Amino acid sequence: MQLIKIYRTDYDIDRQKYGEAVKNGSGKSSIDLRTNRYVGNFYDVHDGKLRQLPTIIKQLVFTDTFLYCFSDDINFEFENKCLKFYEKAKKKVT
């Protein structure tokens, strides 16, 4: 059995303060491990206002992961790459 997709959702923006836009998460990202296509959609708070960042679409390559060799390392690596893309996207719109 092979891992073919990873999803991630962030909940770091106050849902009570910013409402429906971040109700289901302030950021979502995924990667299709068959095509290496990464898609990230994030929100950011700038000067007290919520803004949606442009969709991030990248090619990201991970090694093939099967059930027998699966570990949490792939999740942590994916999270680190997501955070780097997010930080870079924030800088572009500031």
Side-chain angles (χ1 to χ4, degrees), residues 14-29:
D14 184 354
R15 288 183 262 175
Q16 300 297 328
K17 185 173 181 179
Y18 294 100
E20 288 296 312
V22 294
K23 180 180 176 187
N24 296 316
S26 57
K28 294 183 186 308
S29 52

Side-chain angles (χ1 to χ4, degrees), residues 40-57:
N41 290 295
F42 297 98
Y43 288 91
D44 177 42
V45 177
H46 183 70
D47 293 333
K49 295 183 180 182
L50 184 68
R51 64 181 177 178
Q52 186 171 10
L53 300 177
T55 299
I56 302 166
I57 299 173

Side-chain angles (χ1 to χ4, degrees), residues 3 5-10 27-33 36-42 58 60-62 71-86:
L3 180 65
K5 198 157 209 146
I6 303 173
Y7 291 98
R8 183 169 182 278
T9 302
D10 294 312
K28 294 183 186 308
S29 52
S30 66
I31 184 168
D32 182 325
L33 296 168
N36 302 315
R37 186 172 190 255
Y38 169 88
V39 178
N41 290 295
F42 297 98
K58 300 266 186 195
L60 243 174
V61 178
F62 284 89
S71 77
D72 284 337
D73 291 344
I74 194 167
N75 292 317
F76 294 127
E77 184 180 352
F78 182 64
E79 178 182 24
N80 286 333
K81 291 181 184 216
C82 291
L83 292 173
K84 287 179 184 174
F85 291 150
Y86 169 72

